[in-house]
Amino acid sequence: MNSRRDFLTTASLAAAGFALAPLAACSQDRPAPAPPAAPAASPAPAARAGALITRTIPATGESVPVIGMGTSGSFQVEPGSAEYDALKQVLQTFFDGGGTLIDTSPNYGNADTVLGELLAEGGHRDKCFLATKIAADDRESAETQWAESLRRLKTDRVELLQVHNLRAWQIQLPYARELKEQGLAKYVGVTHFVDNAHAEVADLIRRERPDFVQINYSVSAPAAARTVFPVAQELGIAVLVNRAFDDGKLFAQVADRPLPGWAAEAGVDSWAQMFLKFAISHPAVTAVIPATGKPHRQADNLKGGVGPLLSQAQQDELTAMFA
């Protein structure tokens, strides 16, 4: 779960919401200096100001906005509660701001049930690039879980089906591919969330070549840039970034720290935007998926996906700052 200290003022929240209203996910990236199948490195000069940057999925060339969202923790709420009602605005802000990609899992308590209800209630399903996971130890359990996931998400297919934390991947990845062949999932992938799994993940994606890999990456945990990202770029595998806020720990570290002097040049006016822009500034990254249950934080997150990306020198300065 990603969270942050609520240090934005009421006035700034209103301003953020106003500024984000016209966002649309239509910006196109320049090709990266990697093999042709790799995601693009930065927005093209012709990209419209204020639009969310998009990246292409190498397997198909389909574009997705670089700021997505997760549901762990943030969507684990009681239906009908104040938190549930807030999530309605979180989703509205997300889609109005040009977002599409939402990542969930049957392992996140009732998050997929809440997400499914809200997508249906708001009429958002057709705008959503919906990603979920298989988290089971055998084929029979996976089949049961998949049927339940579709029921809870109120859908008949998903855009991305991932093997959660490589769990029983020898069984579940072939099953996910069967579902893809049946048209029930458009893409398949694998996930993990800790540095000590990177070597295994890199080896697996090199051998199995899924459409997506999801991995942890942040200013305080940048190892994926050396381990997983190069393989993904070489083979044309889309990358989703989790833990960009290091489960919220980064916000405690910057509570009294000003942004770098060059932040305004990068179009950044909050630490959340800085952490997200760091993640998407690596050319291998397709999208980052921060979670929030607060509408004003959703608006702030989206602002991390517009404007110029960070230079390599700026990225290096950030990693040194949080080393």
Side-chain angles (χ1 to χ4, degrees), residues 9 17 21 33 62 81 85 91 97 105 136-137 154 188 212 218 238-239 263 267 275 286 308 315 318:
T9 65
E62 178 182 3
S81 64
D85 289 339
L91 284 176
S105 170
D137 294 321
K154 295 184 179 295
V188 299
F212 275 79
S218 70
V239 175
F275 297 146
T286 307
Q315 294 173 61
L318 288 172

Side-chain angles (χ1 to χ4, degrees), residues 118-193:
L118 291 173
L119 288 175
E121 181 180 337
H124 300 306
R125 178 61 186 96
D126 289 343
K127 296 175 282 186
C128 181
F129 185 105
L130 183 57
T132 190
K133 304 177 182 77
I134 298 175
D137 294 321
D138 55 60
R139 172 66 179 252
E140 183 179 0
S141 298
E143 290 176 353
T144 300
Q145 185 184 74
W146 169 245
E148 182 67 4
S149 288
L150 292 180
R151 186 189 69 80
R152 294 170 70 173
L153 290 167
K154 295 184 179 295
T155 190
D156 59 358
R157 87 285 181 207
V158 299
E159 280 63 49
L160 171 59
L161 182 58
Q162 304 156 101
V163 178
H164 197 42
N165 298 340
L166 306 189
R167 183 171 173 180
W169 71 263
Q170 297 91 339
I171 299 169
Q172 307 310 348
L173 188 55
Y175 177 51
R177 284 176 164 149
E178 287 180 31
L179 295 173
K180 177 181 176 180
E181 290 173 2
Q182 295 168 26
L184 301 176
K186 189 170 185 179
Y187 304 99
V188 299
V190 297
T191 81
H192 222 294
F193 67 103

